[in-house]
Every structure is written in C-alpha cells, then in structure tokens.
Amino acid sequence: MKKVSRRSFLFSAGAVTTAAFTLPLISMHENEKKYTGKKLNIALVGLGRYAGILADGLQESEYCKLAGIVTGHPAKAEAWKKQYNIPDSNIYNYENFDSVAGNKNIDVIYVVLPNSMHAEYTIRAAKAGKHVICEKPMATSVQDCEDMIQACKDANVQLAIGYRLHYEPYNLEIKRLGQEKVFGQVRLIESSLGYKTGDPTEWRLHKALSGGGPLMNVGIYCLQSSRYVTGEEPISVTAQFGPVTNAELFKEVEASIFWQLEFHGGAVCNSSSTYNCGVDRFFASADDGQFELSPGISYGPFKGKTSNGELHFPDINQQAAQMDGIGKLLLENQPLPNHITGEEGLKDMKIIEAIYEAARTGKKISLV
Ligand code: NDP
C-alpha cells in the first residue's frame, strides 16, 4: 500500500480530536492543513539505532523538531550536527547533560538509551524542568518506574512512554474492535513478537542494561495489545521460560518466554516473545467473530483481517505520528492521554515482573 501523508491520515481518520484544535493553521486544501506555529524542540538522548528512526520521524513531524542531542561519542555528535543542522549550544554529553536546564531551546528530552538507563536520564531530565518521553520498556523495575513518575510530578513536567502503536491505524482498529465489542466479548488473544538475535556483545543480552530478555524488549508489545484490545487489566498470570537454545548468547536473559493472562471479562491471552526466530502477529477470537494482524506490531506495512474481510489502513510513519500526537498536546499544555503516560508504563512493568515470577516459580501469580 502506498505510504500516505500521516497528516492526511490524522485529519481523515480523526485519530486526533480535531474539534479541540486550537493551534494556528493556514488553509490549503481542506485535508492538507499545515501547522505554522512554534514547534516543540526535542533532544534525543543516546544516538543508537532507534534514535536514528526517531530522527527520521521528526523530519516529517508538524509539531516537533529535532533540536538537540545527547551522546557519549563526539564523532556521532559531529555527524548528527551536520545532518540535522543542530547548533553546538544544543549538543550535550552524559556528563554535562544536566545543564540543559538553562537551555530554553530544548522543550522535551526523549530518552532512547538502554533500558536500565531510562530511570536515571528521565529523572535528570525532569529535574532540569523538561518534559520527558522515555522509550519502552519504561525501566527495568517497578521501583524505578515509581521514582520516574514521582520525579516528573515533583518537577511539574509530563512523562510519556514511547508506545508508538497507540498512533498506528491498524492497532487503533483492533483496540476499537475489542473495546467496543464489535464481534462480541473477546475470549482468546494470541499475540507474539520475536526476532533472531546473534551478537553476544549486544546490550540487550546483558541483564544489567536490558533488565531481561525478549519479554522486556518486544514481549511488552504483546502485553500492551492484550490490555488495549480488552480494555481491561489482567487478573492473573502463568508463564514458562523456553529452552536455552544457545548457551553463549543466553547466559543472562531468557531466549524465549511464554505467558498466559486471564482478564476480568473472561478473555484469556496466550503470548510468546523470543530471540530465536521472527514472529509478529496478533489474533483475537470473540463470541461473534475474529480479527487479526500479521504483521501488526513492528514498523509495517501491516496486514489485517476480520471475519468481515480484509482491513485496509494507510501505512504511516509511526514515529512522526507519535511525535505529533504527543507534541500537539504538550504545545497546548494539555495532559497526555492515560495510555501513553508513565502510569501506563508502570502497569506494564508490574505485569512483566509478575510474568518473570510466574516463569521462575511455576506458580499462577495473582495480579489483583
Ligand atoms: P542501540 O544500542 O542502537 O542504541 C543505544 C544508544 O545508547 C547507543 O548508541 C549509545 O548512544 C547510548 N548508550 C549509552 N550508554 C550505553 C551503553 N552502556 N551501552 C549501549 N549503548 C549505550 O539501542 P536502540 O536504539 O535499539 O534502543 C534504545 C532504546 O529504544 C531501548 O530502550 C529500546 O527498547 C528502545 N527501542 C524502541 C523501539 C520502538 O519501536 N519503540 C525500537 C527499538 C528500540 P551514544 O553513542 O550516542 O552515546
């Protein structure tokens, strides 16, 4: 499917509340209105693979701009400075990062570091008086999530988690189908995400930086989808680790994990996440029909179908959509929606800790 302007999708599909739209617009074609006001200045922290993808998304964003960077590598700083026209005054390293407090040209810090560094940099950003977007998983422990939320509250700044699928049209549709019970009560969800890993030096394989294996990294999306499709919180979990398929790679984190969640309304979700092979799918069976996406969790293009036929939505730039969804609200001084806040990240982390406990002990863990 042709990649359409994310902007036209937002307007045509009503993915944002256009009625409350108060920012300055100039009139072009009705569906191609362009925002002409101040953009939110974003600084990315940690210039790795995903920061590069976010930087691309920011080039397409109407409400946000890549304005600053924080990196441990001067050569990267130089390359990014040239590529994105970033002034020296908006370039930081991990040591002088706190001085961003005095920089009026940075509004938001976007933390794109290894998982166990999220808490420290979110808290430092909040103390510097900046709004924070923090990548998933929010942190590597419930305690860190709580500290991050508290730091942002104390500093009176907002905290968002990089849950990009809340801006992605196929996922918005399965959320609607489930929560509005379009096919009746959802009874069974199967959701899996995985890929094959191979580099033993990768931080994701080292628990001190990752906090865990594929569950922390990609299983969190399966957990999220089961929660946003049912619109409910799980009441209990059972879980099992998969076999150690490579003793060198999987010394510190699981190679695979499988878990089962029970929800109040009667839905059961069976999920897997793995570093052994590629898998990217969501399936739900409800009383009067079924719906599924495959692929539907990664970056697309996605494919979906329901008992009524195929789903067709635009293939959008998810990062641009996410940045604009968040950016527009921050520019308007509006609260961010619950499903992307730190509280949401904390809910996921509590369930992740319970999944690991269930897998370790072999017991069913209650979540109520
Ligand atoms: P990378 O390894 O590609 O990049 C991480 C960057 O963090 C490095 O390039 C480095 O930047 C910085 N860093 C600082 N200290 C360390 C350290 N001790 N070890 C390694 N890197 C360090 O990771 P990703 O970009 O893939 O992931 C970063 C975060 O983004 C993770 O939390 C991940 O879960 C999340 N993510 C989210 C995705 C999504 O779709 N929402 C997709 C992919 C990742 P520098 O050299 O500039 O200092």
Side-chain angles (χ1 to χ4, degrees):
M1 180 181 288
K2 182 175 166 291
K3 223 173 189 128
V4 301
S5 145
R6 174 201 40 79
R7 184 73 187 158
S8 14
F9 164 71
L10 287 179
F11 273 94
S12 62
V16 290
T17 314
T18 49
F21 203 84
T22 54
L23 298 169
L25 298 169
I26 52 167
S27 188
M28 298 169 70
H29 185 274
E30 192 50 29
N31 279 338
E32 286 295 333
K33 289 175 180 171
K34 291 265 183 227
Y35 170 65
T36 56
K38 174 195 178 321
K39 287 193 176 190
L40 209 59
N41 288 321
I42 313 288
L44 296 174
V45 188
L47 304 182
R49 196 183 75 89
Y50 196 57
I53 294 172
L54 285 167
D56 287 346
L58 282 164
Q59 306 314 300
E60 253 198 56
S61 168
E62 282 197 51
Y63 300 114
C64 299
K65 179 180 157 202
L66 175 56
I69 49 176
V70 184
T71 175
H73 292 95
K76 278 192 197 173
E78 205 49 42
W80 279 60
K81 171 183 158 175
K82 285 203 182 88
Q83 184 171 355
Y84 298 108
N85 202 18
I86 296 170
D88 285 330
S89 54
N90 290 355
I91 299 177
Y92 297 87
N93 57 41
Y94 301 117
E95 286 70 43
N96 66 18
F97 168 60
D98 306 275
S99 61
V100 74
N103 188 340
K104 288 195 168 47
N105 297 319
I106 301 292
D107 303 307
V108 176
I109 301 296
Y110 196 146
V111 178
V112 208
L113 292 162
N115 307 341
S116 67
M117 299 173 76
H118 292 182
E120 178 188 342
Y121 284 85
T122 295
I123 292 167
R124 285 170 70 179
K127 285 187 174 158
K130 307 298 177 184
H131 296 302
V132 190
I133 308 174
C134 174
E135 256 318 311
K136 48 53 57 180
M138 177 173 173
T140 52
S141 71
V142 165
Q143 184 62 57
D144 277 357
C145 294
E146 287 172 347
D147 293 347
M148 292 157 81
I149 291 169
Q150 193 58 49
C152 291
K153 273 195 186 132
D154 291 347
N156 201 23
V157 297
Q158 296 211 58
L159 171 59
I161 308 303
Y163 287 142
R164 60 183 162 76
L165 292 176
H166 287 279
Y167 299 92
E168 192 286 316
Y170 284 87
N171 280 269
L172 290 175
E173 178 63 359
I174 59 168
K175 181 176 177 178
R176 185 187 76 81
L177 293 174
Q179 290 197 16
E180 294 182 10
K181 300 192 182 346
V182 173
F183 293 100
Q185 171 65 46
V186 170
R187 298 289 170 192
L188 174 71
I189 291 174
E190 291 177 352
S191 180
S192 302
L193 190 60
Y195 64 93
K196 191 168 175 60
T197 198
D199 174 6
T201 65
E202 153 84 64
W203 63 261
R204 284 179 173 83
L205 296 176
H206 298 287
K207 199 166 178 189
L209 284 167
S210 61
L215 173 58
M216 281 278 179
N217 185 20
V218 289
I220 190 168
Y221 287 104
C222 307
L223 171 56
Q224 270 270 304
S225 63
S226 63
R227 291 180 55 239
Y228 59 69
V229 167
T230 57
E232 295 175 13
E233 296 306 322
I235 54 177
S236 69
V237 59
T238 49
Q240 306 77 37
F241 289 122
V244 178
T245 47
N246 181 321
E248 194 206 351
L249 291 181
F250 304 117
K251 280 189 212 131
E252 298 182 23
V253 302
E254 76 276 7
S256 302
I257 187 164
F258 312 95
W259 68 96
Q260 302 78 39
L261 297 171
E262 283 176 22
F263 289 83
H264 277 292
V268 176
C269 172
N270 191 23
S271 284
S272 48
S273 66
T274 180
Y275 280 157
N276 278 330
C277 62
V279 55
D280 177 353
R281 65 185 290 267
F282 172 91
F283 171 85
S285 186
D287 283 339
D288 306 319
Q290 302 176 342
F291 48 99
E292 65 185 278
L293 304 179
S294 182
I297 307 177
S298 51
Y299 301 146
F302 292 158
K303 278 193 176 163
K305 65 180 182 190
T306 76
S307 299
N308 292 341
E310 287 187 4
L311 293 172
H312 291 289
F313 290 99
D315 171 25
I316 64 160
N317 182 315
Q318 293 184 35
Q319 289 72 27
Q322 174 202 329
M323 292 313 302
D324 275 350
I326 295 172
K328 177 177 175 292
L329 290 172
L330 291 179
L331 282 167
E332 291 176 330
N333 286 321
Q334 304 259 12
L336 296 172
N338 289 340
H339 53 255
I340 58 152
T341 57
E343 281 77 5
E344 183 73 9
L346 170 62
K347 282 182 190 168
D348 283 337
M349 194 52 56
K350 284 182 176 167
I351 302 168
I352 285 174
E353 287 194 351
I355 293 172
Y356 278 132
E357 187 188 344
R360 261 193 320 269
T361 62
K363 292 187 177 147
K364 182 185 222 179
I365 306 295
S366 170
L367 293 163
V368 288

